[in-house]
Amino acid sequence: MHKLKKAFHKAAPASAHSSGGVPKDAECEDLKQKLAIIRAALKTTEDTIKRTENNWKDIFVTEYKTMEELSQRYPDPDSVRDTSKTYATAAAQMQQEFNTRSASTMDYHQIAAKVSAATANIKGMEPLYKQLEELRVDYEMYNIKFSKLDLKKEKKPSEKMDEQVHRNAEKLENAKTNYEVKLKEVVDKQRLLWSRREPAYRAAYTAYFLLQAHMMDVMDKNSQAIYKYASAHEGDVETLTLSSITV
């Protein structure tokens, strides 16, 4: 019967300002919203890190395919072909380093794992929010019922009514205690998670920038030969005119 009454109450909840209505805790609701925003931001960074890793993989694969194809199709055995082959080999090495990277040794992976833990902790609050709301509804239902019985008792006092009011007063007190205990548990955890927002954001940014730095280092150390070749011929190719076919 209690579950049925509770279902009806949820379908037509009492106003927080009505007699016996129990409003949702303002601090809890505020922190719930703030933590949801933090989780969304951190989750976006997590997804960006994964997407950026894939983008770097695509870069290494594309560079290898481009240089390999150029070296095979270029007709002359000169420095252009040699440089293409050299860079194709370097691009293959970049792919190898990318594919054999270890999550346990990559600093950005270790930091990103901490970000994932932070988002998981915030998401882990959802069952507690549901429990808290169930207890708030119980508290509100008994509070409304007690208010009505108390008013009825004033109008028509009787021993039977006294007993009914007493029974519901005990139920109300239990419901109130259960709700307040759970509310304290939830808010304490919310405050703790909120206090960790700065290091969580810092970890997210750090993981992302370390990822970029690592991949750029992989490219840089394997690309010195092509950098030197390009620098040496920069002046020459700037003066080339390839658009005209006039002879």
Side-chain angles (χ1 to χ4, degrees):
M1 181 61 72
H2 178 72
K3 288 183 178 180
L4 183 61
K5 290 180 179 179
K6 194 171 184 178
F8 281 126
H9 184 81
K10 287 181 177 179
S15 166
H17 301 290
S18 64
S19 178
V22 177
K24 294 182 179 181
D25 184 78
E27 182 183 10
C28 181
E29 290 301 299
D30 181 55
L31 287 171
K32 180 180 179 180
Q33 183 178 21
K34 287 178 177 177
L35 290 172
I37 293 172
I38 289 176
R39 178 175 178 268
L42 295 178
K43 186 66 170 62
T44 297
T45 306
E46 283 186 86
D47 294 341
T48 299
I49 289 172
K50 294 175 183 176
R51 190 165 57 250
T52 300
E53 272 196 311
N54 289 331
N55 289 342
W56 275 105
K57 180 180 180 180
D58 290 342
I59 289 173
F60 298 149
V61 170
T62 299
E63 291 196 346
Y64 172 75
K65 288 182 177 179
T66 300
M67 292 298 105
E68 182 70 13
E69 184 175 356
L70 181 59
S71 69
Q72 291 178 359
R73 294 189 177 186
Y74 185 73
D76 304 313
D78 57 17
S79 65
V80 173
R81 178 188 285 178
D82 291 342
T83 302
S84 298
K85 286 184 176 180
T86 297
Y87 197 58
T89 300
Q93 177 61 29
M94 294 180 208
Q95 287 187 68
Q96 177 68 14
E97 290 188 29
F98 180 90
N99 292 331
T100 58
R101 73 198 188 288
S102 170
S104 63
T105 59
M106 288 292 99
D107 48 6
Y108 70 85
H109 268 297
Q110 296 178 49
I111 297 171
K114 298 179 187 296
V115 179
S116 298
T119 59
N121 284 335
I122 295 174
K123 183 174 178 55
M125 293 297 295
E126 292 177 1
L128 292 178
Y129 293 147
K130 184 176 180 180
Q131 294 168 19
L132 179 65
E133 179 59 12
E134 291 291 323
L135 292 172
R136 187 197 67 80
V137 170
D138 279 342
Y139 176 24
E140 184 174 76
M141 285 178 59
Y142 284 120
N143 204 33
I144 291 172
K145 184 175 182 180
F146 181 80
S147 297
K148 290 179 179 179
L149 287 173
D150 201 40
L151 183 61
K152 190 174 180 181
K153 174 187 171 183
E154 289 182 8
K155 293 179 178 180
K156 294 183 178 180
S158 67
E159 185 176 339
K160 183 178 179 180
M161 183 58 66
D162 287 342
E163 292 176 357
Q164 192 173 0
V165 168
H166 179 71
R167 285 197 306 272
N168 278 276
E170 289 182 344
K171 292 180 181 179
L172 172 59
E173 188 60 32
N174 287 334
K176 179 182 179 182
T177 298
N178 291 337
Y179 170 68
E180 290 178 345
V181 169
K182 180 59 69 174
L183 176 61
K184 184 179 185 306
E185 176 190 351
V186 170
V187 172
D188 283 349
K189 289 183 177 180
Q190 286 179 316
R191 289 171 179 169
L192 178 60
L193 292 172
W194 177 245
S195 71
R196 294 174 176 173
R197 63 192 182 279
E198 190 276 334
Y201 272 87
R202 181 153 38 90
Y205 297 149
T206 300
Y208 177 74
F209 290 123
L210 284 177
L211 160 63
Q212 297 283 38
H214 173 76
M215 295 304 175
M216 286 188 284
D217 182 60
V218 169
M219 174 173 278
D220 187 61
K221 73 180 182 180
N222 289 289
S223 304
Q224 291 303 311
I226 194 67
Y227 290 164
K228 290 178 181 179
Y229 181 87
S231 296
H233 291 277
E234 182 178 4
D236 298 339
V237 296
E238 283 180 348
T239 60
L240 287 177
T241 303
L242 299 176
S243 58
S244 175
I245 60 170
T246 301
V247 294

